[in-house]
Amino acid sequence: MKKYLIWVVTVVIAVGLGVGAAAVVSGLIPAAAARGGILGNSSITGQRISIDEASNLAKQYVSNYGNNLQVSEVMEFSDNFYVVVKESNTGRGAFELLIDPFTGAIYSEPGPNMMWNFKYSPMGGMMGGFQSGDNTLSLDQAVQRAKNYLDANLAGAKISLDGISFYGHYTFDYQINNKTTGMLSVNGVTGDVWLHTWHGSFIQEVEVK
């Protein structure tokens, strides 16, 4: 996979992601996309796109790069759409994308997806230790790390038990008052927790087939 991808780093204003004065956003962007097209959709004219449109954009993006990647889930938040891409042959999480809700721009999710994904990100392992094998924490152990973090930092938040295993980390939703509120990731080796602060308020989600 990596030989078909190039790494694009974009500096974006903090307001867009809510992660400080500025944030560096990684992009698992195919070489063809770097020449234009995938980072924007000329049919989008400033109105917020629907979750169905976001799903179709994600599927179109993924379909260009072989048969072993598929869009599994799309979540709509106020600030972006979050997309899970899985491997078809293993069912394993491959990587995570974000879609701008107004322009349709597609880019790789920052944070764990950039820094901990040792298979699909050339920067994987830079934070939390280099990983050349697989997650050493089990899903249950990752759940416990996530629970401990939420108990200490977000009163009343409950972790969803059906996290997704990626190459280097697990990603989970969490709820407050039985409503999906946000997301976090757990490093698959160190157990470090990374709260996703860039999504905004949850709106809805769909499973993609």
Side-chain angles (χ1 to χ4, degrees):
M1 171 60 67
K2 284 185 181 178
K3 67 182 179 180
Y4 298 109
L5 304 173
I6 66 172
W7 191 254
V8 176
V9 178
T10 305
V11 177
V12 298
I13 301 303
V15 173
L17 292 178
V19 290
V24 176
V25 180
S26 66
L28 285 170
I29 306 299
R35 295 192 293 270
I38 200 65
L39 293 182
N41 188 318
S42 60
S43 66
I44 304 302
T45 58
Q47 294 184 341
R48 188 179 180 91
I49 65 177
S50 69
I51 195 168
D52 289 338
E53 289 173 312
S55 299
N56 288 335
L57 286 172
K59 287 192 288 187
Q60 180 183 7
Y61 169 80
V62 168
S63 70
N64 291 322
Y65 307 102
N67 298 321
N68 196 39
L69 293 175
Q70 62 182 26
V71 177
S72 172
E73 175 184 336
V74 178
M75 299 177 72
E76 182 177 3
F77 293 88
S78 57
D79 293 347
N80 47 58
F81 292 93
Y82 165 83
V83 179
V84 174
V85 179
K86 289 186 175 182
E87 296 174 338
S88 301
N89 63 338
T90 65
R92 182 78 175 271
F95 52 86
E96 299 150 288
L97 300 171
L98 297 181
I99 301 177
D100 187 285
F102 295 99
T103 68
I106 298 175
Y107 49 97
S108 186
E109 185 179 41
N113 180 65
M114 177 174 70
M115 306 304 290
W116 291 346
N117 189 324
F118 62 84
K119 181 172 182 179
Y120 288 91
S121 167
M123 298 177 72
M126 288 184 65
M127 294 180 66
F130 179 76
Q131 298 156 239
S132 59
D134 206 341
N135 295 333
T136 56
L137 290 182
S138 67
L139 178 62
D140 287 343
Q141 289 172 319
V143 166
Q144 189 59 54
R145 295 296 184 102
K147 283 181 177 179
N148 293 344
Y149 177 88
L150 292 176
D151 289 345
N153 295 279
L154 288 171
K158 303 296 183 184
I159 198 70
S160 174
L161 300 181
D162 55 347
I164 298 174
S165 176
F166 294 92
Y167 291 92
H169 67 282
Y170 297 89
T171 294
F172 300 91
D173 304 341
Y174 64 86
Q175 297 81 33
I176 296 177
N177 295 326
N178 296 317
K179 294 181 180 180
T180 298
T181 305
M183 306 179 71
L184 58 76
S185 296
V186 178
N187 188 288
V189 173
T190 67
D192 291 340
V193 176
W194 199 322
L195 187 69
H196 295 205
T197 60
W198 45 85
H199 294 305
S201 301
F202 174 76
I203 298 173
Q204 61 179 324
E205 64 181 308
V206 295
E207 300 289 328
V208 179
K209 307 201 177 191

